[in-house]
């Protein structure tokens, strides 16, 4: 591992110099440092930021929503009674991610910023446009079974690995940040980028910009919500496909719906075409499958991951039937 400096942040302005990165739970960053994929000069530990910043707290918002500090641990967030009651999709997504030990360390901000587990990205000796821009994307012709079917490019077919972020996108959550240009708020749906020709940039954040909190809006439909993840084994595995959904049905007709997919693109995928197709439609399997098909019309499967198209179609219908 490359030699680096470690220091504890004393304020939001720390960590702005070139080569510095923020350290939260470290469950992804430290792994990447051990592999030589991440090589920071300075680790700025944000775990001890002053309590008055709300970095490690979950608080009620005046509009009935919640504010989640970026340093809140995944286990604490999943178990919070307000989250379990008002946003069960978020609780179930968190509990589907990683192991209990990892959830006890991982933070809300770090979870959003975790990087792809594409095997070529995780191996610093291999070409990869994400860790070495311009070196190519061997995944397109190599091992891409778990990689993207939506929004990919010739430069990259990686997927975003977070379960939590998929639920946050479905819930219209907003990320609050502090950085060199000041404070700003970004919808989680706009936080992550599609790869295009610059896949080394995962998000729209600038260097030194720290996620301070995430806001969940008051959302009545969220009380009837659920997350389901398809994976290769029953526990401790990344998704090969996942669905976060919230649904309100009245008199057999879909009146409100939120739908997001995970493990199918370089970012959590908000399925807005499917949502538009569902509004006003009969709440039944035929409508759910037709909506999924409409969203998947843009999907492009490679040699070994085209199975995801059928997987997402059926997984989406299962989750919506479960909620209806």
């Amino acid at each position: 591992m490359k030699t680096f400096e470690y220091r504890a942040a004393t304020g939001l302005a720390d960590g702005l110099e070139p080569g510095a990165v923020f350290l939260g739970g470290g469950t992804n960053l430290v792994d990447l440092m051990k592999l030589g994929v991440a090589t920071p000069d300075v680790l700025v530990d944000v775990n001890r930021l002053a309590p008055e910043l709300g970095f490690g707290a979950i608080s009620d918002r005046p509009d009935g929503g919640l504010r989640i500090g970026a340093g809140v641990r995944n286990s604490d967030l999943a178990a919070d009674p307000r989250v379990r009651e008002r946003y069960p999709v978020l609780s179930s997504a968190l509990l589907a991610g990683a192991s209990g030990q990892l959830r006890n360390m991982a933070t809300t901000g770090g979870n959003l910023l975790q990087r792809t587990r594409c095997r070529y990205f995780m191996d610093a000796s291999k070409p990869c446009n994400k860790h070495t821009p311009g070196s190519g994307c061997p995944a397109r012709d190599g091992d891409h079974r778990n990689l993207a079917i939506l929004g990919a490019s010739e430069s990259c077919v990686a997927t975003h690995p977070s379960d939590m972020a998929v639920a946050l996108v479905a819930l219209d959550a907003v990320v609050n940040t502090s950085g060199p240009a000041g404070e700003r708020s970004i919808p989680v749906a706009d936080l992550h980028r599609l790869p295009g020709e610059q896949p080394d940039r995962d998000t729209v954040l600038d260097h030194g910009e720290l996620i301070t909190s995430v806001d969940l809006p008051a959302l009545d439909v969220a009380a009837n919500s659920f997350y389901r993840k398809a994976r290769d084994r029953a526990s401790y595995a990344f998704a090969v496909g996942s669905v976060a959904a919230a649904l309100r049905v009245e008199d057999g007709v879909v009146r409100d719906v939120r739908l997001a997919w995970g493990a199918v693109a370089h970012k959590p995928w908000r399925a807005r075409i499917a949502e538009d197709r569902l509004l006003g439609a009969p709440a039944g399997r035929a409508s759910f499958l037709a909506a999924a098909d409409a969203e998947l019309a843009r999907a492009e499967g490679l040699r070994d991951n085209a199975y995801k198209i059928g997987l997402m179609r059926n997984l989406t219908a299962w989750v919506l039937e479960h909620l209806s």
Side-chain angles (χ1 to χ4, degrees):
M1 184 185 291
K2 174 189 166 187
T3 301
F4 60 90
E5 175 190 347
Y6 168 88
R7 68 168 183 261
T10 56
L12 296 178
D14 285 347
L16 302 183
E17 70 265 42
V21 299
F22 297 115
L23 174 69
T27 55
N28 183 214
L29 174 60
V30 175
D31 279 349
L32 294 177
M33 292 173 66
K34 292 177 180 175
L35 294 169
V37 177
T39 57
D41 297 319
V42 184
L43 284 187
V44 180
D45 188 336
V46 296
N47 288 290
R48 301 175 193 172
L49 283 177
E52 57 267 29
L53 295 174
F55 200 70
I58 305 169
S59 55
D60 289 296
R61 285 161 41 89
D63 67 354
L66 289 177
R67 171 160 290 183
I68 305 162
V72 171
R73 306 291 168 176
N74 285 181
S75 294
D76 294 334
L77 183 59
D80 187 277
R82 294 163 294 184
V83 173
R84 295 177 62 184
E85 179 181 355
R86 300 183 214 170
Y87 310 97
V89 66
L90 177 56
S91 182
S92 54
L94 286 160
L95 293 174
S99 65
Q101 293 92 333
L102 286 169
R103 291 194 294 270
N104 287 340
M105 285 298 296
T107 63
T108 299
N111 192 313
L112 284 167
L113 299 181
Q114 64 179 302
R115 307 205 70 187
T116 184
R117 265 57 172 192
C118 173
R119 60 177 296 183
Y120 302 100
F121 172 74
M122 298 286 284
D123 185 343
S125 70
K126 295 287 193 303
C128 170
N129 287 324
K130 285 189 76 64
H131 65 58
T132 309
S135 62
C137 178
R140 291 194 67 87
D141 296 320
D143 184 355
H144 52 246
R145 176 179 175 272
N146 294 337
L147 301 184
I149 57 171
L150 288 163
S153 73
E154 289 295 320
S155 298
C156 184
V157 291
T159 48
H160 186 72
S162 172
D163 297 296
M164 181 195 75
V166 182
L168 292 179
V169 165
L171 294 171
D172 293 326
V174 173
V175 166
N176 302 307
T177 71
S178 179
E183 298 180 352
R184 62 172 172 160
S185 297
I186 309 164
V188 177
D190 297 331
L191 174 67
H192 303 93
R193 298 176 63 257
L194 291 178
E197 296 179 352
Q198 197 178 14
D200 53 309
R201 287 198 64 193
D202 289 346
T203 72
V204 299
L205 297 184
D206 296 323
H207 177 75
E209 188 170 11
L210 177 67
I211 294 177
T212 56
S213 63
V214 175
D215 287 343
L216 292 175
L219 200 63
D220 290 342
V221 69
N224 183 42
S225 61
F226 188 64
Y227 180 81
R228 188 168 189 191
K229 171 181 180 176
R231 49 189 163 184
D232 287 332
R233 61 187 183 201
S235 66
Y236 195 23
F238 291 98
V240 295
S242 66
V243 175
L247 183 68
R248 180 167 62 88
V249 175
E250 294 175 353
D251 300 324
V253 174
V254 175
R255 298 301 183 192
D256 197 356
V257 61
R258 312 298 162 103
L259 190 62
W261 291 344
V264 296
H266 198 254
K267 60 184 291 182
W269 189 267
R270 183 70 181 263
R272 296 193 184 279
I273 294 173
E275 289 179 351
D276 291 343
R277 185 73 175 257
L278 284 167
L279 287 174
R285 184 171 179 81
S287 297
F288 301 153
L289 289 173
D293 285 341
E295 189 74 41
L296 288 163
R298 294 180 289 173
E300 295 183 17
L302 297 173
R303 181 195 63 227
D304 296 329
N305 71 354
Y307 76 94
K308 285 192 175 188
I309 297 174
L311 171 71
M312 295 308 298
R313 181 176 191 262
N314 290 314
L315 197 60
T316 300
W318 188 96
V319 171
L320 293 173
E321 285 185 297
H322 173 76
L323 292 171
S324 61

